[in-house]
Amino acid sequence: AGLGIVCASQKALAAMKDRVREVTGRNNGRSLLSIVGDLRRFLVGWIGYFRITEVRTPLRELDSWTRRRLRVVQLKQWRCGRTVFAHLHARGVDRPIAALIASRSRRYWWVSHQRYAFVALPDKRFDAMGVPRLAG
């Protein structure tokens, strides 16, 4: 039964991802807090509707993907390599690693998935900002 829910909801998952992409767009000139507020409103309603599913793996994957999108937004807002370096180093990333990441700072999606991006921008930070967990 759980597998049928996942297959039947592929269209709904695609629509959800499209909406998250729209809200977390990198070129809209909005603050991270504003983006998180809009994302929160959408996700709370979406979770309320889809919480009935017993299959948690797709929800965990969506949760991880959404937080990665938020990391990308933050990296884009830091803009240049020096700023990325300063923020990463201030958040506990070693100087050589922060320098390496900062040298590739325009590759937002790649940088957002590096282990050190999780150190500097942990999930707890987004939890504190009010981003709800999809998988509970």
Side-chain angles (χ1 to χ4, degrees):
L3 188 58
I5 292 172
V6 173
C7 293
S9 66
Q10 290 301 320
K11 189 173 179 181
L13 290 175
M16 181 270 198
K17 287 181 95 172
D18 287 342
R19 178 70 177 132
V20 171
R21 280 187 195 101
E22 181 183 320
V23 171
T24 61
R26 297 186 300 232
N27 298 319
N28 56 15
R30 296 172 37 209
S31 72
L32 187 61
L33 286 175
S34 172
I35 291 170
V36 165
D38 289 349
L39 186 63
R40 178 176 168 62
R41 281 189 289 281
F42 171 71
L43 290 178
V44 166
W46 196 86
I47 292 168
Y49 185 76
F50 283 97
R51 182 69 56 133
I52 59 172
T53 183
E54 295 177 8
V55 182
R56 294 287 183 219
T57 303
L59 294 179
R60 276 190 222 106
E61 291 170 1
L62 284 171
D63 199 30
S64 174
W65 178 80
T66 302
R67 281 162 168 65
R68 186 174 181 188
R69 296 272 315 169
L70 290 171
R71 284 185 189 92
V72 167
V73 168
Q74 182 65 76
L75 288 165
K76 171 81 177 198
Q77 288 180 354
W78 286 341
R79 304 209 36 109
C80 68
R82 279 185 243 167
T83 307
V84 171
F85 173 81
H87 283 285
L88 290 176
H89 187 59
R91 287 176 168 80
V93 177
D94 294 333
R95 289 181 72 87
I97 304 296
L100 177 68
I101 298 284
S103 71
R104 295 178 173 97
S105 63
R106 298 299 247 183
R107 296 177 62 195
Y108 305 114
W109 192 248
W110 179 83
V111 170
S112 71
H113 198 59
Q114 299 307 302
R115 182 177 75 198
Y116 304 104
F118 291 97
V119 171
L121 299 167
D123 287 346
K124 289 185 285 187
R125 180 168 191 245
F126 299 119
D127 292 342
M129 292 174 98
V131 178
R133 294 272 182 171
L134 299 176

